[in-house]
Amino acid sequence: MESLENYLRELGPVYAALIATLFTWFLTLLGASMVFFFRSMSRAWHDVMLGFTGGVMLAASFWSLLAPSISLAEKDYPGISWLPAAVGFLAGALFIFGLDKLAPHLHINFKENETEGLKTNWHKTTLLILAITLHNIPEGLAVGVLFGAAHNGMDGVTYASAIALAIGIGLQNFPEGFAVAMPLRRQGVSRMKSFGYGQLSAVVEPVAGVIGAAAVITVQPILPYALAFAAGAMIFVVVEEVIPETQRDKNTDVAVLGLIGGFVLMMVLDVAFG
């Protein structure tokens, strides 16, 4: 870990964020590739994987983003250190809310008449990919912002903690890639196309990661707001998309256990490496 941390520090936050988010995308690709080896996936396992994804995102939102945001603001906003976190959190949630209302998309396992966003005649497959793409924007943004924070010398944030976040996001991207590709396969999409669409959903992460890192090192005063912004965006995705998808069948208990497992894993990664 130390050698990797030194290597990424020498590259600088933008290139480090790019490499880290390419790693998270690659694990999505590996997860999607499982469609070549399995004919189907039970709905129970699907819900466990989605729950795990939600747990990682919830833990990352607090341990990696909100807590550092409040800690940083204690110096510049004495007595109201909660203000940047509150403003940034609301802004992040409203940003994804706006995208959710504008971008046509369809969540996995939802019926075609439950399409969200602007009305369109786009194919169901396209709508599914857009839903996961919206999901992945906050994840890439969070990784990029944290590398920018580490570069700025923020107390409590290091390249190691940014790497830990990337590892956590990557670990939840693996089952997520599989969870995207397999439903497409069940709908009659070829294995190759299911794989392609599954990995394509995470291509947005490197873009969001680079933007996040570049923004916070260019305009340093926005850092506490940017950290909370990424947290708000992630929490919105978990509550609006991930959790509802796990509750549409009879696997609610195992889905919750998956969420708990993901939360604990991300918490341990952040505390151990951060």
Side-chain angles (χ1 to χ4, degrees), residues 27 91 93 102 108 112 131 159 175 184 187 192-193 196 205-206 210 215 222 225 250:
L27 286 186
L102 294 175
I108 299 172
E112 290 191 54
Y159 271 79
L184 295 176
Q187 294 172 20
M192 183 58 71
K193 285 187 176 180
E205 289 189 6
V210 167
I222 72 168
Y225 296 93
K250 300 177 181 179

Side-chain angles (χ1 to χ4, degrees), residues 38-62:
F38 297 91
R39 292 184 177 182
S40 63
M41 176 177 60
S42 71
R43 182 59 192 271
W45 272 111
H46 178 273
D47 290 342
V48 170
M49 290 179 180
L50 284 178
F52 179 84
T53 293
V56 169
M57 295 174 72
L58 283 174
S61 296
F62 176 75

Side-chain angles (χ1 to χ4, degrees), residues 95-129:
F95 172 71
I96 299 299
F97 173 79
L99 290 181
D100 189 69
K101 293 302 180 184
L102 294 175
H105 62 283
L106 177 66
H107 298 309
I108 299 172
N109 296 317
F110 279 46
K111 299 177 181 178
E112 290 191 54
N113 61 2
E114 296 179 285
T115 299
E116 299 181 10
L118 298 177
K119 299 299 181 182
T120 180
N121 293 323
W122 291 351
H123 193 274
K124 182 178 180 180
T125 301
T126 303
L127 297 173
L128 287 169
I129 300 306

Side-chain angles (χ1 to χ4, degrees), residues 138-154:
E139 297 174 5
L141 186 64
V143 173
V145 167
L146 211 59
F147 272 106
H151 172 79
N152 288 346
M154 177 179 169

Side-chain angles (χ1 to χ4, degrees), residues 44-245:
W45 272 111
H46 178 273
D47 290 342
V48 170
M49 290 179 180
L50 284 178
F52 179 84
T53 293
V56 169
M57 295 174 72
L58 283 174
S61 296
F62 176 75
W63 296 99
S64 300
L65 299 169
L66 275 178
S69 171
I70 295 172
S71 177
L72 177 63
E74 289 176 352
K75 296 180 180 179
D76 298 327
Y77 299 86
I80 53 170
S81 57
W82 49 266
L83 180 63
V87 171
F89 189 89
L90 288 171
L94 290 174
F95 172 71
I96 299 299
F97 173 79
L99 290 181
D100 189 69
K101 293 302 180 184
L102 294 175
H105 62 283
L106 177 66
H107 298 309
I108 299 172
N109 296 317
F110 279 46
K111 299 177 181 178
E112 290 191 54
N113 61 2
E114 296 179 285
T115 299
E116 299 181 10
L118 298 177
K119 299 299 181 182
T120 180
N121 293 323
W122 291 351
H123 193 274
K124 182 178 180 180
T125 301
T126 303
L127 297 173
L128 287 169
I129 300 306
L130 284 174
I132 302 300
T133 299
L134 291 176
H135 175 147
N136 286 329
I137 290 174
E139 297 174 5
L141 186 64
V143 173
V145 167
L146 211 59
F147 272 106
H151 172 79
N152 288 346
M154 177 179 169
D155 291 340
V157 178
T158 65
Y159 271 79
S161 59
I163 293 169
L165 177 61
I167 292 173
I169 296 295
L171 289 176
Q172 63 97 15
N173 275 4
F174 180 86
E176 183 179 278
F178 190 27
V180 174
M182 189 54 70
L184 295 176
R185 177 60 181 159
R186 284 201 305 266
Q187 294 172 20
V189 179
S190 69
R191 291 184 187 275
M192 183 58 71
K193 285 187 176 180
S194 296
F195 163 72
Y197 290 137
Q199 62 82 29
L200 184 63
S201 63
V203 169
V204 70
E205 289 189 6
V207 177
V210 167
I211 291 174
V216 298
I217 64 173
T218 303
V219 189
Q220 293 191 23
I222 72 168
L223 181 51
Y225 296 93
L227 288 164
F229 182 95
M234 287 178 54
I235 292 294
F236 184 93
V237 167
V238 172
V239 177
E240 195 274 339
E241 176 185 341
V242 177
I243 292 178
E245 287 183 21

